[in-house]
Amino acid sequence: MTKNKLYLIIVSLLLFTVTFNSIQAQRIDSLVNILDTKYPQEKIHVHFDKAYYNAGETIWFKAYLAADNLPGAISKTMYAELLDDKGNTLQRKIMPILQSGASSNFDLPDSMAASRLFIRAYTSWMLNFDSSLLYLKAIQIIPSKTVSKKILPLLTYGVQFFPEGGDLVNYISSRVAFKAMDNRGEPIVIKGDIVDGRGKKITSFSSMHDGMGYCMIQPAAGEKYTAVWKDKKGLQYETVLPPAKKQGMVLSTHLSDNQLNYTLRRPDSVDAVYTSYHVVAQMQQRLVYSARINMTRKTSITAPIETDSLPNGVLQLTVFNAAGLPVAERIVFINHDNYFFITDLHSADKNLNKRGRNTLQIDVGDVLLSNLSISVTDAGLNPVTKNEESIYSELLLSSDLKGYVYNPAYYFSVNNDSVKQHLDLVMMTHGWRRFKWEDVLAGNWPVIKNLPENYLSISGKIVGLTKALLYNKQLTSIIKTKNGGSNIFVMPVNGQGEFVQDGLYFFDTAKLYYQLNNDKDKTLTTSASFSFRNNFIRTPLQSMAMLSALYAPEKTDSAVIQKSTTMAVLQRNQLESNKVRTLETVLVRTKQKSLKEKLDEEYTSGFFSGGDGYTFTTEDDPFAKSAISILAYLQGKVAGLQISTTGEGSATWRGSATSFFLNEMTTDVGNLQSISMNDVAMIKVFRPPFFGAGGGGAGGAIAIYTKKGGSDNSQVKGLPFTLINGYSVIKEFYSPDYEKNPEPGLKDYRTTLYWNPSLYFDKNTRRVTLPFFNSDNCKKIRVTIEGINEAGQLTREEKIIE
């Protein structure tokens, strides 16, 4: 073979290799983009009022939904389930998602005997992915009766070793992290030595934080390394380290203020597949960095990734070899310290005396729309523990990592160098959990069975009519809720007799009246058979990931359990004594309700009940019946509400259009103009933002309630109907007012003194004050606030009042 031919062959091979590597790199980048655009991920954090519950108490909670470091905009409905320790569903709540939040409660039976239950939360979209990504949390229960003491498993200890990047490679110095835990998930302090096959000490190691640490090792070819260590009792253990590879690549990282430097190192002699690499970094399945690295003539290369424009959270750095296979991976936490907004909490009035009146003042300096929740509890029965989750740690850290993270809230407590170093130990001892590169490279995409829900939907089918009779048909429907609210809509019917309607919004059950269009005598409607169903997602099947979490050992605070048990006995005794109170005693203490309170109780539900705004009743207003229209009646009655009666009429508040509701169903202003004030029972005007309206209700809302038994009933007279289910009923938290009603004969053993899942702030509402009363026994109060704003920033504020 001539030199020219040999030269051409070499050049051709090089060109083929470069072209092949370029194609592989482009393919990997495009796969990440597919993940980002077609399979976005949702995360859930749940704020509970406290950590321990007695049988017969209520679990209050607020769930927050986020996606790609922004408020969750994919789903409009959330599900929450109360599970027993076998994974059986005991209760289920279905909630609307408003401004990335959804709240509800679970009432525990008085006869509850279990010591631990679980709460699972998810959206329909989340069910398309790995079941381990669903929110699942253990809830400690103080049983109503003494149960036999569980035999705890024998305490054992273990340690795992994690070479940085994934593998040890012969003759290349590597950082090896470790994590030491007991079988209850508690970290342990250890120290020991790394020895070779002859027992010679290579290096020593000791835990730096919560059982984690690292050491440096440069493995020799064919050598076996073992960690020799002792537990806190002095017992000695041996743990074999992962074997080193002959060929491969070692990845190491160093994170500075605005730059992540990564280093690739390989042995002197390797196959061609280990001489060129493609490095990819992604955050929340979004490609943030891509580079091709040629190491044909180099055994070590360091390259920077600028991080100043990256979001906060976990960055996954993956290295692919020339064959397109992942050979090293490292996760790094990017923290710009701007993931939060400031919530200022202070006690405006402090009174820790028995049933003393307290006032909290909350200020949010930002002008962005913010959605918060607050819990106020007895700190003696709901103390701060060593192992807590927060909205920061859940949405930015734990939800993206494989394995169990102990005390994740600690890593967001302060932003100093030691906490950053400890957090990097978490990064080295955990992996990315949202997807597997093996599945992505093989094209094994998630199967989308459940599309995101647009609030409530109804679907059904008509049987008994031919396609000719069904042609161009529509089903006219009227929903009437329990409080008298109604809404009219039309559902097109296809050739198979099927129909569907989404975007509905109501609570509890409602009657759905229906009739086919152009069927004046109801001939077709009465001769056909109709089936209706809510399109609620079914409870997901049990998975191995969920069951393994259920079987995890319990970790409880014995002191808190003892105090809670004592309080539970006192509460049950109080309930028993209440049963013997006479009816006359109750009547003496009953306050007569005003007309507004009676009508609010009779007509309103959900977000329309109570509320921040104005209520007008027509029965006691002599000017109401003389008003020519609803808008004319409201003109000048509410400061800030701009009403025009010109043309069809309009209403705005703070520059945004005001939402209109007729009997709690969305309507337009044109429909209101035809309603006589004689048919109106009550009008409620809600200040902005009103979250019962779509889009956050930036212009507030006007809700009109027509008299029951009035003109609106003529629409449904004689029509067939069916019952349909809406969102779970919202239970109101009871907070006593001891200034108006001292209740001297009752003992107050409340653990949760105040709970409010719906605190909203914007540029016009930047401060709220919340009054509440102490119990009979509380000496120290714990206040916890969590929330999210429209930019995706989070907040958590905690204070002990003593």
Side-chain angles (χ1 to χ4, degrees), residues 38-42 74-77 79 92 122-131 134 446-454 457 533-541:
K38 292 188 177 182
Y39 306 100
Q41 297 281 302
E42 293 179 317
I74 300 173
S75 300
K76 297 292 188 294
T77 295
Y79 301 83
R92 194 186 201 207
Y122 55 91
T123 66
S124 61
W125 180 252
M126 292 173 71
L127 295 180
N128 294 309
F129 309 100
D130 194 314
S131 61
L134 305 184
V447 178
I448 302 301
K449 297 180 180 179
N450 305 304
L451 294 175
E453 294 169 297
N454 181 24
S457 64
R533 70 181 182 90
N534 288 99
N535 292 328
F536 294 140
I537 294 296
R538 293 182 179 179
T539 298
L541 298 175

Side-chain angles (χ1 to χ4, degrees), residues 47 51 61 64 181 194 252 284 299 472 515 547 694 708 753:
H47 177 195
F61 66 91
Y64 292 95
M181 310 282 284
I194 305 295
S252 61
Q284 304 303 318
T299 59
N472 207 27
Q515 180 179 334
L547 292 175
K708 294 186 176 180
L753 306 177

Side-chain angles (χ1 to χ4, degrees), residues 11 128 207 261-262 294 296 563 627 712:
V11 170
N128 294 309
S207 53
N261 291 299
Y262 65 89
N294 187 344
T296 304
K563 291 180 182 178
D712 61 321

Side-chain angles (χ1 to χ4, degrees), residues 151-213:
I151 300 176
L152 296 176
L154 185 66
L155 202 59
T156 58
Y157 307 97
V159 62
Q160 293 177 286
F161 287 86
F162 304 88
E164 185 174 16
D167 293 317
L168 291 173
V169 178
N170 291 341
Y171 303 113
I172 297 181
S173 180
S174 299
R175 183 162 49 170
V176 179
F178 62 87
K179 179 181 180 181
M181 310 282 284
D182 63 24
N183 57 333
R184 299 174 305 176
E186 298 282 336
I188 59 173
V189 176
I190 68 166
K191 60 180 179 179
D193 298 320
I194 305 295
V195 300
D196 61 17
R198 299 181 298 278
K200 180 183 177 182
K201 175 182 173 181
I202 303 300
T203 188
S204 59
F205 65 92
S206 61
S207 53
M208 300 167 57
H209 172 74
D210 279 349
M212 298 178 293

Side-chain angles (χ1 to χ4, degrees), residues 281-356:
Q282 67 85 21
M283 298 184 73
Q284 304 303 318
Q285 301 184 165
R286 181 167 296 178
L287 187 68
V288 297
Y289 176 83
S290 177
R292 292 195 294 271
I293 305 295
N294 187 344
M295 297 183 67
T296 304
R297 298 184 178 183
K298 294 184 178 180
T299 59
S300 177
I301 285 182
T302 298
I305 300 176
E306 300 300 326
T307 62
D308 53 346
S309 62
L310 299 182
N312 296 286
V314 178
L315 177 146
Q316 181 194 29
L317 186 68
T318 308
V319 182
F320 298 85
N321 65 12
L325 300 177
V327 293
E329 183 173 286
R330 175 75 148 86
I331 58 174
V332 180
F333 193 85
I334 305 299
N335 183 3
H336 301 300
D337 206 29
N338 61 355
Y339 55 83
F340 60 89
F341 64 95
I342 296 174
T343 300
D344 183 27
L345 164 68
H346 78 272
S347 177
D349 297 305
K350 182 177 75 171
N351 189 343
L352 295 177
N353 294 328
K354 178 180 178 180
R355 303 191 181 187

Side-chain angles (χ1 to χ4, degrees), residues 487-754:
N487 189 29
I488 302 174
F489 54 92
V490 176
M491 294 183 281
V493 180
N494 66 18
Q496 287 71 45
E498 298 167 335
F499 53 87
V500 64
Q501 177 70 42
D502 64 0
L504 301 175
Y505 185 97
F506 61 92
F507 293 84
D508 205 352
T509 57
K511 287 184 178 180
L512 176 68
Y513 296 85
Y514 56 92
Q515 180 179 334
L516 288 167
N517 66 322
N518 300 322
D519 188 24
K520 186 174 181 181
D521 297 326
K522 307 184 187 68
T523 304
L524 294 179
T525 304
T526 54
S527 62
S529 177
F530 295 79
S531 62
F532 298 86
R533 70 181 182 90
N534 288 99
N535 292 328
F536 294 140
I537 294 296
R538 293 182 179 179
T539 298
L541 298 175
Q542 296 178 0
S543 65
M544 292 304 298
M546 185 192 77
L547 292 175
S548 63
L550 299 182
Y551 295 144
E554 295 182 37
K555 299 181 285 292
T556 58
D557 187 322
S558 58
V560 173
I561 288 181
Q562 181 60 47
K563 291 180 182 178
S564 298
T565 302
T566 302
M567 196 62 64
V569 173
L570 293 173
Q571 288 176 338
R572 285 194 292 273
N573 292 340
Q574 179 67 51
L575 290 172
E576 290 298 323
S577 66
N578 287 347
K579 292 179 182 179
V580 301
R581 294 169 62 205
T582 63
L583 180 61
E584 289 76 15
T585 303
V586 176
L587 291 175
V588 169
R589 297 178 57 253
T590 300
K591 177 186 174 183
Q592 186 173 0
K593 295 179 180 178
S594 67
L595 177 61
K596 290 182 180 180
E597 289 174 328
K598 289 179 180 178
L599 292 179
D600 197 79
E601 184 178 290
E602 179 182 358
Y603 281 85
T604 66
S605 66
F607 291 96
F608 296 88
S609 180
D612 178 25
Y614 306 84
T615 301
F616 304 97
T617 56
T618 59
E619 183 178 329
D620 56 356
D621 186 349
F623 299 101
K625 294 181 180 179
S626 62
I628 60 174
S629 68
I630 292 172
L631 290 183
Y633 172 73
L634 289 174
Q635 268 188 321
K637 286 185 175 293
V638 178
L641 179 64
Q642 303 297 319
I643 290 180
S644 171
T645 56
T646 304
E648 195 175 63
S650 64
T652 60
W653 205 332
R654 299 174 183 171
S656 299
T658 301
S659 301
F660 292 96
F661 295 86
L662 178 61
N663 297 319
E664 299 187 357
M665 297 295 177
T666 303
T667 188
D668 57 52
V669 67
N671 292 333
L672 300 182
Q673 296 292 62
S674 62
I675 298 176
S676 169
M677 284 298 296
N678 290 316
D679 293 327
V680 175
M682 178 175 63
I683 300 174
K684 298 192 72 174
V685 180
F686 297 92
R687 294 186 181 93
F690 177 65
F691 292 97
I702 298 174
I704 296 92
Y705 294 86
T706 55
K707 294 175 181 177
K708 294 186 176 180
S711 59
D712 61 321
N713 285 334
S714 61
Q715 297 171 317
V716 298
K717 186 176 180 180
L719 294 183
F721 70 88
T722 185
L723 288 176
I724 55 175
N725 291 315
Y727 287 118
S728 302
V729 176
I730 295 178
K731 178 180 176 180
E732 184 178 356
F733 178 83
Y734 170 70
S735 183
D737 186 342
Y738 288 130
E739 290 181 345
K740 294 181 179 179
N741 189 7
E743 298 188 357
L746 294 176
K747 298 293 184 182
D748 185 348
Y749 299 119
R750 289 173 299 136
T751 305
T752 300
L753 306 177
Y754 183 78

